[in-house]
Amino acid sequence: MKILVLNAGSSSQKSCVYELNDVLPEIPLQPLWEAQIDWTHQQGIAELKVETATGIQLEEELASDSREAAISRMLETLWKGKTQIINDLNEIDIVGHRVVHGGQDYQQSTLISPEVKKAIARLAVFAPVHNPVNLEGIEAIENILPNVPQIAVFDTAFHAQLPPAAFVYPGPYEWLENKIRRYGFHGISHQYCARRAAQILNRDSADLRLITCHLGNGCSLAAIRGGVSVDTTMGFTPLEGLMMGSRSGSIDPGIIIHLLKQSDLTSEKLDDILNRNSGLKGISGVSGDIRQIVEAITQGNERAQLALDIYIHRLRSGIGAMLASLGGLDALIFTAGVGENSTVVRAAACEAFGFIGLKLDGEKNQQLSVDEDIAAVDSAVRVLVIHTQEDWEIARECWDIYRR
Ligand code: ADP
């Protein structure tokens, strides 16, 4: 069966096609076709890049802001031209969408119906950047491939079993009644990493206590016991928790009260400060990209050093909190852009946990291979670097639902 995966961002659209048979392989397959649309570089222009498993590439610019028009052209490259891999779009059996917010009602991947679409639209108040573009992708596919089942794979779903003590905020009880609670995000990535970790360690995931560190532009941790997320750092929105590229992570809410009292700050401005001008970028004034922070430090930039110090301090504190929720640890896992590549961040994070017998193998940490154990042989806790594969996880969920 052929599974089309759509992963929509605020100004990008990634997509790929996997071919799966009756037996699901343990290790992710390479997609037959991958495509990306990017609206960030030029106003009103979508840049389309396509690559097939055989290495054929296509790049073109589309003069359109319309997501549906861009998706339609992207899908055309599946059955037309040099990147063609199928004869007809009807060869696609099922379409899986990453949907950021599923709220309390959608605790697992779900066949998309008019009711599910309404819920995704309703939940856009909680995820204003993502849910609307997820819905646009779903509607575009409905128009292009009207008879193909579509599945919503929610980023919040993996955290659906958090215990109340972890998901209820200690504000007034009405918050909970109004669905203001911790949801947690990056669930597709945390779930993939937990399963992949069990494979790499050759253990049953039911017996494992894991902390997954998803460190990309957005950063979050999950405490996973027996394959279930029991605690996580992101909350009601993806702003809570760790310091991130340009997001503050957790701050004293008293700061916001203070700022509101002292100035005529609007909610839009506050959103801009906390989501786009804080974190590594806000402190360093250099960039939200850890590579540029490390580069600036080598040139003696003190604010860049402070930014990295805060990032590490908060990462360690977060790992400590997850450790307490788990009551022990079998493996610490690093994933996403920073987690998979930054030897500096991994070494600094691990250094704090020598007291539980966690020991990194310095040489292995320097090697840039993924899906590896980089702990010292005599470490009491394994340390894994896993290349996260969210699209594969979405395809797996689709395969599972299709075959039920
Ligand atoms: P997103 O959260 O948007 O999916 P990624 O997981 O791709 O992002 O992470 C992007 C971040 O990863 C970049 O901002 C950068 O800080 C970091 N990163 C990417 N490549 C490297 C690298 N080779 N070395 C260190 N950090 C890297």
Side-chain angles (χ1 to χ4, degrees):
M1 66 187 284
K2 291 195 175 63
I3 303 173
L4 171 67
V5 174
L6 269 88
N7 188 339
S10 55
S11 49
S12 69
Q13 173 73 62
K14 292 183 195 159
S15 187
C16 61
V17 171
Y18 290 100
E19 170 131 52
L20 288 176
N21 299 317
D22 291 349
V23 181
L24 193 63
E26 285 218 335
I27 293 173
L29 294 178
Q30 196 192 353
L32 297 178
W33 167 100
E34 281 178 277
Q36 178 158 7
I37 307 167
D38 194 331
W39 282 274
T40 51
H41 296 126
Q42 302 170 61
Q43 181 83 30
I45 303 277
E47 294 169 6
L48 171 67
K49 285 187 187 163
V50 184
E51 183 165 6
T52 66
T54 53
I56 295 172
Q57 295 179 344
L58 173 100
E59 283 190 26
E60 65 185 47
E61 289 188 350
L62 315 169
S64 170
D65 272 335
S66 147
R67 191 171 285 263
E68 178 164 351
I71 290 178
S72 171
R73 170 60 195 135
M74 178 179 83
L75 296 186
E76 212 174 61
T77 71
L78 275 171
W79 54 274
K80 249 189 186 174
K82 63 177 181 177
T83 57
Q84 175 182 5
I85 55 151
I86 53 178
N87 293 318
D88 182 324
L89 270 186
N90 291 323
E91 286 179 40
I92 301 291
D93 296 289
I94 191 163
V95 181
H97 295 265
R98 174 181 180 199
V99 179
V100 165
H101 217 306
Q104 293 192 140
D105 298 339
Y106 292 96
Q107 307 208 337
Q108 39 187 291
S109 302
T110 306
L111 185 67
I112 296 172
S113 63
E115 192 195 330
V116 173
K117 277 173 57 186
K118 270 191 218 146
I120 296 170
R122 200 172 55 241
L123 290 162
V125 289
F126 295 160
V129 175
H130 289 99
N131 272 32
V133 294
N134 298 150
L135 206 50
E136 275 183 52
I138 292 167
E139 286 174 346
I141 296 293
E142 256 173 18
N143 292 333
I144 301 163
L145 282 169
N147 301 318
V148 176
Q150 299 196 68
I151 307 293
V153 182
F154 299 100
D155 243 332
T156 45
F158 183 58
H159 304 295
Q161 294 177 65
L162 290 178
F167 77 70
V168 182
Y169 286 109
Y173 192 77
E174 294 89 89
W175 283 5
L176 182 60
E177 292 169 332
N178 291 327
K179 301 193 171 144
I180 297 177
R181 46 157 286 178
R182 178 184 309 286
Y183 290 100
F185 297 88
H186 291 145
I188 301 169
S189 173
H190 289 299
Q191 175 177 307
Y192 171 79
C193 288
R195 188 161 7 77
R196 187 79 186 100
Q199 286 168 356
I200 296 169
L201 297 169
N202 201 14
R203 299 264 306 268
D204 186 341
S205 61
D207 302 330
L208 286 173
R209 293 158 304 176
L210 308 170
I211 297 175
T212 43
C213 310
H214 178 108
L215 309 175
N217 285 314
C219 301
S220 74
L221 306 178
I224 302 168
R225 187 190 299 124
V228 174
S229 170
V230 295
D231 203 357
T232 190
T233 55
M234 281 182 170
F236 175 59
T237 72
L239 185 54
E240 197 184 353
L242 301 176
M243 178 182 186
M244 311 183 207
S246 67
R247 281 175 245 169
S248 61
S250 296
I251 55 162
D252 178 355
I255 297 172
I256 296 172
I257 299 169
H258 168 78
L259 291 173
L260 289 172
K261 281 185 179 162
Q262 296 296 310
S263 63
D264 53 1
L265 210 55
T266 59
S267 57
E268 287 78 15
K269 181 76 183 131
L270 206 48
D271 178 22
D272 200 46
I273 293 171
L274 297 173
N275 277 304
R276 285 172 284 284
N277 287 297
S278 293
L280 290 171
K281 181 180 169 198
I283 295 295
S284 70
V286 172
S287 167
D289 188 320
I290 207 97
R291 288 168 289 193
Q292 291 181 35
I293 298 289
V294 171
E295 171 64 24
I297 292 171
T298 61
Q299 290 163 9
N301 185 319
E302 287 178 13
R303 277 176 55 184
Q305 182 67 62
L306 175 62
L308 183 65
D309 291 347
I310 305 170
Y311 186 93
I312 299 298
H313 174 77
R314 290 186 164 235
L315 176 56
R316 288 172 169 176
S317 311
I319 294 171
M322 296 297 113
L323 190 56
S325 289
L326 284 176
L329 185 61
D330 297 299
L332 179 65
I333 295 150
F334 291 97
T335 193
V338 177
E340 292 169 32
N341 295 293
S342 178
T343 56
V344 175
V345 168
R346 290 198 300 253
C350 288
E351 205 186 296
F353 295 94
F355 74 96
I356 56 164
L358 186 153
K359 255 192 252 171
L360 203 58
D361 179 319
E363 249 174 56
K364 286 189 184 154
N365 184 39
Q366 292 300 325
Q367 290 163 9
L368 286 176
S369 44
V370 290
D371 294 10
E372 296 278 350
D373 183 349
I374 58 165
V377 180
D378 60 344
S379 174
V381 175
R382 308 323 302 161
V383 181
L384 306 180
V385 179
I386 295 182
H387 171 48
T388 192
Q389 302 219 32
E390 288 159 303
D391 291 345
W392 172 253
E393 195 62 27
I394 295 169
R396 271 187 112 261
E397 292 281 313
C398 291
W399 181 88
D400 208 32
I401 290 182
Y402 191 82
R403 291 174 52 88
R404 259 183 231 157

